[in-house]
Amino acid sequence: MPELARLRAAGTCAALLICGPIATAQPVESAPEHSIKAAYLYNFATYVDWPPEALGDADPVFVVGVLGAARVAGYMAAMTAGREVHGRPIEVRQVASGDSVDSLHMLFIAADSAGALPRLRDAAREHSVLVVTEWEGALDSGSIINFRLIDQRIRFEVSLAAADRCGLSISSRMLSVAQRVLPRSGE
C-alpha cells in the first residue's frame, strides 16, 4: 500500500475512534471495510447501555464475539488493546456458529454466517447480547444494528424493538446518525 494511502486509512480510523458514531459515514475506498466496521463496533459499545445483570461482576471483561469476518475480529482486537468499555477491558473472540453466546456482550455476525442468526437470536435476547449484522433484511430477522453499504459508505440501521427485547438502551446521539431507525413495538 502506498504511504499516502496508508496514512489516509490510519487517519480515517483515528477519526472514527475519536469522533465515535457522531462522525459521518466513511467512504469504503478511504480505509478497508473491515477496519471501518471494527471501529464502529467499538463505538457502538460505548453508546449502548446494558442492564445491570448483563454487566454483573461475574465477568470483569467486555466480550465481543465475531462470527465469520476474521479480518474484522483481528483489526478490532488490535484497535481495542488497552481500551475499556463501561470500565472493563475489551476481549475480542472469534466464535463458531455452534458456540454459546451467554458469555458475550456483543456479537457481530458476518454476511457469510447469516444462517446462524435465527439459532442465536433467542439466546442473545436472553443474555442481553447486542447483535450486529451486515446484510439486507437482518433487522427483520432479529438483529439490533445492521451495517449497510450506501453510496460507497458504511452506514448503519437500528431496530429499537429488538434492542428493547434484549433490555438494551441505545443513546440518542447514536440514533441521530443512523441511516434508519426502526421504532419500538407499538410506536
Side-chain angles (χ1 to χ4, degrees), residues 42 61-64 76 80-81 83-85 88-92:
Y42 169 74
V61 297
F62 186 90
V63 184
V64 178
M76 186 172 187
T80 60
R83 293 181 176 264
E84 293 185 346
V85 170
R88 299 162 186 269
I90 301 164
E91 178 183 327
V92 179

Side-chain angles (χ1 to χ4, degrees), residues 8-178:
R8 281 188 185 141
T12 298
C13 292
L16 280 170
L17 285 172
I18 293 166
C19 299
I22 305 310
T24 59
Q26 297 299 309
V28 172
E29 59 272 359
S30 70
E33 186 174 341
H34 64 275
S35 66
I36 296 169
K37 289 179 179 177
Y40 270 116
L41 289 171
Y42 169 74
N43 284 303
F44 292 159
T46 65
Y47 284 88
V48 173
D49 288 323
W50 276 257
E53 62 274 8
L55 291 177
D57 294 330
D59 193 356
V61 297
F62 186 90
V63 184
V64 178
V66 179
L67 178 57
R71 291 177 71 185
V72 172
Y75 197 87
M76 186 172 187
M79 176 192 331
T80 60
R83 293 181 176 264
E84 293 185 346
V85 170
H86 300 288
R88 299 162 186 269
I90 301 164
E91 178 183 327
V92 179
R93 294 181 189 163
Q94 189 75 46
V95 297
S97 65
D99 291 351
S100 172
V101 300
D102 61 350
S103 64
L104 304 178
H105 297 100
M106 179 189 296
L107 173 63
F108 174 64
I109 304 174
D112 62 358
S113 300
L117 180 58
R119 185 190 67 73
L120 296 171
R121 177 183 52 228
D122 292 337
R125 285 179 189 158
E126 181 181 332
H127 296 285
S128 299
V129 177
L130 175 65
V131 176
V132 182
T133 52
E134 63 175 1
W135 64 87
E136 183 72 35
L139 292 185
D140 297 330
S141 299
S143 176
I144 298 170
I145 300 172
N146 187 52
F147 287 117
R148 302 284 309 276
L149 183 60
I150 300 172
D151 297 328
Q152 296 302 306
R153 294 182 182 275
I154 302 291
R155 300 293 311 250
F156 64 94
E157 56 189 357
V158 176
S159 170
L160 292 176
D164 286 349
R165 285 190 291 273
C166 289
L168 303 174
S169 176
I170 300 175
S171 164
S172 60
R173 291 182 66 200
M174 185 172 138
L175 295 174
S176 71
V177 295

